[in-house]
């Protein structure tokens, strides 16, 4: 389960319905061109927190059907609705997903005891493994090394997707948990995280920039830091341009430029203006 995982985008049509043909094209592009080791399905990048339970299941089903066993699959099932999270955990496990992941429960200020109960309830309901999805800038949930340690006492909890810029905490986690899987979550900090010894990375920009991400990660592992840094610089020029123009919408427009029917984002995310579509197209020309 080590390596690079794309946080999979989902193609929606202009009315916000899942475009199955487009989703399958995005999946194939990730396997054939980005050549990632796996897909992280129904994360933030999949616009998971704006869709229904049935739609989440449909995306899990289509993705597994398209991938078969060609790459590893992680199903993000986390939800403030714990019953939904358990239902999705069972569904994805039955489909044959290699691991589950769940975002820390958000919106209400759950205390640690509640968070721990949430993770153990999900993973103990199924015969599968759990990767904690920690993304404090969106959830407001910050956990300490000691709290991660308490969660990791459950052997079915095998790792964490660490989407934060706190490299002190990341180093402490690597030191404390040499046998757990740590995935870097911010693509713009991939090199720094790789130097600290993460096992892999999960990223939205890998939908278009998988090849450069691979180079950064592997060069870092070989100790070729100066070379890796040059590729991180280009990658971050790209990421800065994408973030300035609207993250998920721009990634979808770039995919369209590459012939992939990536569709639109789900409302309330807005459509890009014609001007911004033009900028997205120029980004696609500039970096490829
Ligand atoms: C919220 C979100 O999309 N996070 C992604 C994964 O953690 C990242 O891949 C970022 O999108 C990316 O690093 C750009 O900031
Ligand atoms: C990678 C990431 O944050 C996500 O899509 O869940």
């Amino acid at each position: 389960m080590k390596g690079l995982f794309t946080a999979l985008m989902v193609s929606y049509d202009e009315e916000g319905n899942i475009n199955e043909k487009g989703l399958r094209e995005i999946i194939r592009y990730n396997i054939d061109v980005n050549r990632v080791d796996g897909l992280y399905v129904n994360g933030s990048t999949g616009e998971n927190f704006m869709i229904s339970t049935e739609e989440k299941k449909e995306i899990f089903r289509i993705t597994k059907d398209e991938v078969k066993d060609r790459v590893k699959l992680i199903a993000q099932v986390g939800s403030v609705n714990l019953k939904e999270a358990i239902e999705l955990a069972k569904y994805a496990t039955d489909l044959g997903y290699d691991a589950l992941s769940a975002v820390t429960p958000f919106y209400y200020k759950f205390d640690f005891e509640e968070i721990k109960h949430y993770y153990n309830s999900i993973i103990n309901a199924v015969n599968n493994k759990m990767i904690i999805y920690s993304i404090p800038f969106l959830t407001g949930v910050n956990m300490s090394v000691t709290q991660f340690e308490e969660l990791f006492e459950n052997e079915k909890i095998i790792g964490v997707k660490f989407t934060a810029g706190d490299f002190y905490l990341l180093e402490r986690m690597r030191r404390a948990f040499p046998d757990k899987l740590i995935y870097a979550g911010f693509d713009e900090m991939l090199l720094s995280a790789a130097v600290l010894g993460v096992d892999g990375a999960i990223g939205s920009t890998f939908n278009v920039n998988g090849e450069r991400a691979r180079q950064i990660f592997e060069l870092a592992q070989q100790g070729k830091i100066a070379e890796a840094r040059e590729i991180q610089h280009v990658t971050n020029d790209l990421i800065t341009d994408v973030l300035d123009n609207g993250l998920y919408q721009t990634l979808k427009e770039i995919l369209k430029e590459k012939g992939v029917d990536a569709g639109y984002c789900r409302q309330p995310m807005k459509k890009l203006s014609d001007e911004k579509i033009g900028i997205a197209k120029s980004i696609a020309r500039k970096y490829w």
Side-chain angles (χ1 to χ4, degrees), residues 31-47:
I31 297 175
D32 298 338
V33 180
N34 291 317
R35 306 185 72 83
V36 288
D37 301 298
L39 303 176
Y40 185 88
V41 185
N42 282 341
S44 310
T45 308
E47 301 170 57

Side-chain angles (χ1 to χ4, degrees), residues 191-233:
L191 171 57
S192 320
V195 168
L196 282 179
V198 295
D199 301 287
I202 300 169
S204 66
T205 65
F206 303 172
N207 280 282
V208 298
N209 197 45
E211 290 176 271
R212 285 194 190 94
R214 166 80 57 199
Q215 290 174 317
I216 294 167
F217 194 64
E218 292 189 350
L219 286 168
Q221 287 183 324
Q222 294 159 14
K224 296 179 180 164
I225 303 303
E227 280 174 66
R229 191 191 301 133
E230 289 312 310
I231 302 168
Q232 185 78 67
H233 282 322

Side-chain angles (χ1 to χ4, degrees), residues 87-248:
E87 183 181 334
L88 292 171
K90 289 180 177 165
Y91 189 80
T93 299
D94 288 346
L95 282 173
Y97 273 67
D98 299 283
L100 306 176
S101 183
V103 71
T104 53
F106 53 92
Y107 190 79
Y108 302 100
K109 303 268 180 216
F110 299 106
D111 66 22
F112 180 68
E113 201 184 320
E114 291 164 332
I115 293 173
K116 187 173 166 183
H117 171 260
Y118 164 91
Y119 280 108
N120 287 331
S121 302
I122 299 171
I123 200 58
N124 291 339
V126 291
N127 180 19
N128 209 333
K129 299 169 285 250
M130 169 63 65
I131 295 159
I132 297 161
Y133 179 9
S134 177
I135 181 161
F137 97 98
L138 290 181
T139 60
V141 180
N142 283 284
M143 289 192 293
S144 65
V145 179
T146 318
Q147 289 175 332
F148 277 107
E149 187 173 11
E150 217 177 303
L151 295 180
F152 284 146
E153 278 168 14
N154 184 337
E155 286 182 3
K156 295 171 88 176
I157 304 184
I158 59 165
V160 56
K161 169 163 135 50
F162 184 93
T163 306
D166 185 342
F167 287 96
Y168 178 33
L169 177 60
L170 180 58
E171 183 279 332
R172 289 290 81 191
M173 302 261 288
R174 180 70 298 170
R175 174 72 159 169
F177 314 119
D179 300 326
K180 298 288 180 180
L181 293 166
I182 304 180
Y183 300 92
F186 272 131
D187 314 348
E188 50 276 47
M189 306 177 198
L190 177 59
L191 171 57
S192 320
V195 168
L196 282 179
V198 295
D199 301 287
I202 300 169
S204 66
T205 65
F206 303 172
N207 280 282
V208 298
N209 197 45
E211 290 176 271
R212 285 194 190 94
R214 166 80 57 199
Q215 290 174 317
I216 294 167
F217 194 64
E218 292 189 350
L219 286 168
Q221 287 183 324
Q222 294 159 14
K224 296 179 180 164
I225 303 303
E227 280 174 66
R229 191 191 301 133
E230 289 312 310
I231 302 168
Q232 185 78 67
H233 282 322
V234 178
T235 288
N236 286 6
D237 291 343
L238 163 65
I239 292 178
T240 301
D241 286 350
V242 168
L243 289 174
D244 285 349
N245 201 52
L247 175 61
Y248 302 133

